[in-house]
Amino acid sequence: IRMDDGELATALPIGTLMACTWNTDLVEKLHTLHGQELVLNNVECMLGPGINIHRDPLCGRNFEYFSEDPVLTGVMASAATRGVQKSGAMVTPKHFAANNQEQNRNNNDSRVSERALREIYLKGFEICVKKAQPLTVMSSYNLLNGLWASQNRELLTDILRGEWGFEGMVTTDWYTHAPQYTEIAAGNDVKMGCGDPAHTLKMMREGKLSREDVKISVKRLLEMILKLA
């Protein structure tokens, strides 16, 4: 855990090393302790596990991710999710989706066929959602086939919620480029590290964002808070 309040925390094995064990029971037990430490330090939400795919051995975030294999990634992420949430904290699987490089990831456009997307880059998230039901998911910085992931309704509403049955809240990564009102309309509930309420309200008044979409996002946020209370 990276403790911004200065407290010390236990250093856990990296995701790749955990995946090398092929031992989901061990990974779940480890993350049960991890969740207890989160609770003891008044940290409600872990920004992880990172479950993007290893596409290149030189990717700067590979240590956070589990594998080049989407099934191994999904079962390990599920075990980590169950362990942390069993302890009363929550996880945020990230970065959804196709954020598989660090260079220029704030502006990179991941061009992916639907088959490759579903069989490789979405599969780990799908397994994690269906097997462990994380309370939140983090959308990624990058564009996906020309549209910012954080404003992609097909990704965040049709697939994540409609097909996989995700019931939680979606948050952006920090300071995404897409306008917040388009993110809300797509099913992205919270903009981190801060939103743009004045512009969002202006878009509502101009009829470019429905009140119903805002109410749905607020409902998801409040439900998440109540689950942690």
Side-chain angles (χ1 to χ4, degrees), residues 38 59 78:
L38 288 167
C59 177
S78 299

Side-chain angles (χ1 to χ4, degrees), residues 102-108 141-143 148 174-177:
E102 284 303 290
Q103 182 70 28
N104 196 34
R105 71 190 184 115
N106 296 66
N107 298 289
N108 177 57
Y141 282 124
N142 56 284
L143 296 99
W148 298 109
W174 264 236
Y175 304 105
T176 49
H177 290 335

Side-chain angles (χ1 to χ4, degrees), residues 80-191:
T81 297
R82 288 192 297 268
V84 170
Q85 295 193 164
K86 185 187 298 183
S87 299
M90 66 179 180
V91 301
T92 311
K94 62 181 186 179
H95 310 84
F96 191 60
N99 174 189
N100 302 286
Q101 70 175 54
E102 284 303 290
Q103 182 70 28
N104 196 34
R105 71 190 184 115
N106 296 66
N107 298 289
N108 177 57
D109 188 357
S110 300
R111 297 298 178 102
V112 192
S113 70
E114 182 174 1
R115 180 175 180 180
L117 189 65
R118 287 181 177 273
E119 291 184 358
I120 301 173
Y121 302 107
L122 296 184
K123 181 57 69 175
F125 289 97
E126 179 183 2
I127 293 170
C128 183
V129 167
K130 289 181 175 179
K131 288 185 174 292
Q133 196 58 246
L135 296 181
T136 60
V137 165
M138 181 188 291
S139 60
S140 54
Y141 282 124
N142 56 284
L143 296 99
L144 178 57
N145 294 329
L147 188 65
W148 298 109
S150 62
Q151 62 173 190
N152 191 321
R153 186 173 179 84
E154 181 181 11
L155 183 68
L156 303 180
T157 296
D158 297 346
I159 295 175
L160 179 63
R161 293 185 168 102
E163 294 185 23
W164 301 348
F166 177 67
E167 298 177 351
M169 185 197 81
V170 175
T171 177
T172 68
D173 209 331
W174 264 236
Y175 304 105
T176 49
H177 290 335
Q180 188 179 12
Y181 79 97
T182 65
E183 294 174 334
I184 294 171
N188 203 124
D189 306 302
V190 172
K191 190 177 186 74

